[in-house]
Structure formats: structure tokens, C-alpha cells
Amino acid sequence: MIGNKKPFGYTVLVDGYNVIKRWPPWQDLTLRQARAQLLQVLQQARWPVPVSAVHVIFDGPETSHAAVHLRGPIHVEFASPSADALIQSRIRAHPHP
């Protein structure tokens, strides 16, 4: 999580494929199915701190994946070449990581 001073809460950054690859029940699903499962879990999550936004970042260009439509504070992004690089740059750029 990256702490912020917004009154609405924290921003959570999730490396989507890292979570999917490490959760045994999702390892046998297609990537599309696993992404849908992850996003559903995150939409229903009860965070121990106030959360204003959840950014789920997947590796690869968006054009190679099916579009995802969500409600609420979940934002889906695709990063090329990697989600790791995007997440690291956002943490470094944040004044209160």
C-alpha cells in the first residue's frame, strides 16, 4: 500500500499476475478467468484501513487482453513491459510511500 494524505484513504497497488500465479486455486484457470476472480475478490475486500482506490496492474499491452469493466474503486491497468516497473516508479514518485 502507498500511504497518502487524502481524507478518503490509501491507494493500493496490486501486481495482478503475481497474485494470480501464487494463489493455487487460480493456477489452473485461464488468464481471463483468473483476472476475473482476482478483480471480484478485490471488489469484495474488507481492508483493515480506509482505501480510496485499488489499482490492479497486469503485465503486457492492453490490446492483448479483453476489456474489463468494473464498478467502484478498482482501476485496471496494463503495463508494458512490466507491472513491476510501473509499480516501482509510482512508489518512488509518491511523497509518502
Side-chain angles (χ1 to χ4, degrees), residues 15-75:
D15 185 326
Y17 289 139
N18 277 353
V19 173
I20 288 169
K21 291 176 187 175
R22 284 166 179 75
W23 192 253
W26 295 342
Q27 292 175 358
D28 293 332
L29 300 176
T30 66
L31 286 178
R32 185 177 183 170
Q33 292 170 326
R35 282 193 304 267
Q37 288 291 314
L38 172 61
L39 297 174
Q40 181 179 9
V41 166
L42 291 172
Q43 283 183 307
Q44 297 171 356
R46 294 186 180 261
W47 303 97
V49 295
V51 171
S52 61
V54 178
H55 292 266
V56 185
I57 304 165
F58 295 103
D59 298 308
E62 185 172 6
T63 56
S64 67
H65 304 283
V68 179
H69 302 284
L70 297 170
R71 291 177 285 144
I74 308 287
H75 305 278

Side-chain angles (χ1 to χ4, degrees), residues 1-4 9-13 87 90-92 94-97:
M1 273 186 241
I2 295 179
N4 65 27
Y10 289 87
T11 297
V12 178
L13 301 175
I87 290 170
R90 288 205 179 151
I91 290 170
R92 280 192 300 271
H94 199 281
H96 305 286

